[in-house]
Amino acid sequence: MKTIVKGVLLCVAGLAALVMVMLAGPLSSTSAGSTDDQGGVQGVPPEYEPWIIKAAACQHPELTPALMAAQIQQESGFRAQAGSHAGAQGPAQFVPGTWATWGRDADGNGRNDPHDIGDAVTAQGRLMCSLIGQAKASGLRDDPRRLALAGYNAGWGAVQRFGGVPPVTFAGGETYHYVRIVMASMTKFEARPGGALSVRGSGSGPDALRRAARYIGTPYSYGGGTPEGPGAGFCDQRNGYANGRCAASSTVGFDCSSLVQYGYWPSLQLPRTAAAQFSATSDRPVARARLKPGDLVFWSNGSGIYHVGFYAGEGRVLHAPRTGRDVTVEPLDSAMPSADYYGATRP
């Protein structure tokens, strides 16, 4: 930030310890310049990826992992020990005064340090989320991402002063070019596994699907994820293992029900497990022929519901199949055993 102004049943298949997950998150805003397909993140150093994904879990869908990655690239080139003549520090280039407001010991190492990747990236996410909120509430007629980036670089006061992104004549064009470069370079960090997902319509269902679809490409993590975003999971006697080791405890992601919970949480506080989510919404069943984007689809193996996902339109479901797989969009008929399809509800 080269600030010029500086001012109990989760999602478990009863077969060979098959863990089923449903992942999803906000896609795009309806503002000019945003897209309906944001995907995950690619092309970043591996030590940054989980923190970027976690930090992008903002209530404003405009803040995507790709936007954050492009911003870090411009700020520091992903150099944790980067510094500037203006006193900015670390990969997200925080000056001491701004760090005092937004910095936290996010990685739990006992230090609140702008050079720590986890601390810096999560602080960047909190600040950008706040700035996007200000931009959307400001009434300024520009992409809120551009306005937020300008506020990050030059301070929100400069955005207010100029009624938008400061012009090229301001501060030698630093903020103007900063915004232009970050916006232009986002696409190279966008990962789109599983095909594009375009979400149309309004209302709680499409909004929940958009909120969840941000995490396409994010790994499944048994027991992982909260209403605040992805998180590491855990292993029990059967689930969360890959190649004989506990993968869930070191994997930042969601399981099927935590992602559904995350998607709906801003407007509806669903319970944590797939079975409980069905019970909470079973009074609003939906026939398969009448499914709409954002409806919840459930599978049962006869001994209980083991999986939940978002109906994604066009006969598809957005979900993460099991440990070792990433979130993807698949045909509803083949995402899980077709005989196990139990029904759908509309929260």
Side-chain angles (χ1 to χ4, degrees):
M1 178 203 299
K2 300 179 181 68
T3 310
I4 295 166
V5 179
K6 298 295 188 203
V8 197
L9 182 66
L10 293 174
C11 298
V12 184
L15 303 175
L18 205 58
V19 183
M20 313 301 176
V21 184
M22 175 65 229
L23 215 63
L27 217 323
S28 71
S29 78
T30 57
S31 62
S34 62
T35 66
D36 274 348
D37 172 30
Q38 294 177 350
V41 65
Q42 65 177 3
V44 303
E47 63 270 25
Y48 281 83
E49 183 174 357
W51 293 109
I52 288 172
I53 291 171
K54 183 174 183 178
C58 165
Q59 67 265 37
H60 301 296
E62 292 85 353
L63 184 61
T64 66
L67 174 58
M68 291 195 60
Q71 190 178 15
I72 297 170
Q73 172 65 50
Q74 183 62 19
E75 290 286 355
S76 67
F78 295 98
R79 292 180 294 114
Q81 299 304 315
S84 79
H85 66 277
Q89 303 174 54
Q93 290 290 276
F94 276 92
V95 293
T98 309
W99 182 257
T101 300
W102 298 100
R104 304 285 189 279
D105 177 19
D107 57 13
N109 67 356
R111 301 193 310 267
N112 179 13
D113 188 345
H115 295 284
D116 285 351
I117 292 170
D119 296 358
V121 174
T122 53
Q124 173 199 359
R126 283 192 295 271
L127 177 52
M128 280 294 292
C129 186
S130 176
L131 286 167
I132 287 173
Q134 284 184 270
K136 292 167 74 172
S138 69
L140 297 174
R141 301 184 64 181
D142 200 345
D143 188 322
R145 298 172 299 176
R146 285 171 37 84
L147 297 172
L149 288 168
Y152 192 97
N153 181 265
W156 186 251
V159 176
Q160 292 177 311
R161 173 185 167 191
F162 290 102
V165 176
V168 71
T169 54
F170 172 72
E174 180 183 335
T175 301
Y176 176 87
H177 291 297
Y178 174 87
V179 173
R180 178 183 61 82
I181 292 169
V182 173
M183 292 295 293
S185 60
M186 279 195 304
T187 56
K188 74 177 184 180
F189 294 105
E190 290 174 352
R192 305 177 188 273
L197 177 63
S198 178
V199 182
R200 305 220 187 311
S202 60
S204 61
D207 287 348
L209 180 58
R210 289 188 186 96
R211 183 169 165 83
R214 170 183 302 183
Y215 293 100
I216 291 174
T218 301
Y220 173 94
S221 180
Y222 180 78
T226 72
E228 296 181 354
F234 59 87
C235 295
D236 59 19
Q237 293 181 343
R238 293 163 49 109
N239 303 292
Y241 297 91
N243 300 319
R245 67 177 183 84
C246 180
S249 63
S250 59
T251 301
V252 175
F254 292 96
D255 65 25
C256 66
S257 54
S258 69
L259 202 286
V260 164
Q261 186 185 52
Y262 170 83
Y264 271 100
W265 193 262
S267 61
L268 177 65
Q269 284 73 57
L270 289 173
R272 176 61 177 82
T273 68
Q277 289 169 0
F278 178 78
S279 295
T281 59
S282 60
D283 60 334
R284 297 178 293 281
V286 181
R288 184 159 175 166
R290 297 183 177 274
L291 285 169
K292 295 182 179 181
D295 287 347
L296 302 185
V297 287
F298 296 89
W299 285 262
S300 171
N301 57 11
S303 61
I305 290 171
Y306 66 78
H307 191 59
V308 60
F310 286 91
Y311 182 67
E314 300 178 353
R316 300 172 299 168
V317 61
L318 177 63
H319 79 149
R322 61 181 179 274
T323 297
R325 295 273 308 271
D326 292 338
V327 177
T328 188
V329 180
E330 295 184 305
L332 186 61
D333 286 331
S334 58
M336 294 286 132
S338 59
D340 289 354
Y341 182 78
Y342 191 75
T345 65
R346 185 165 297 154

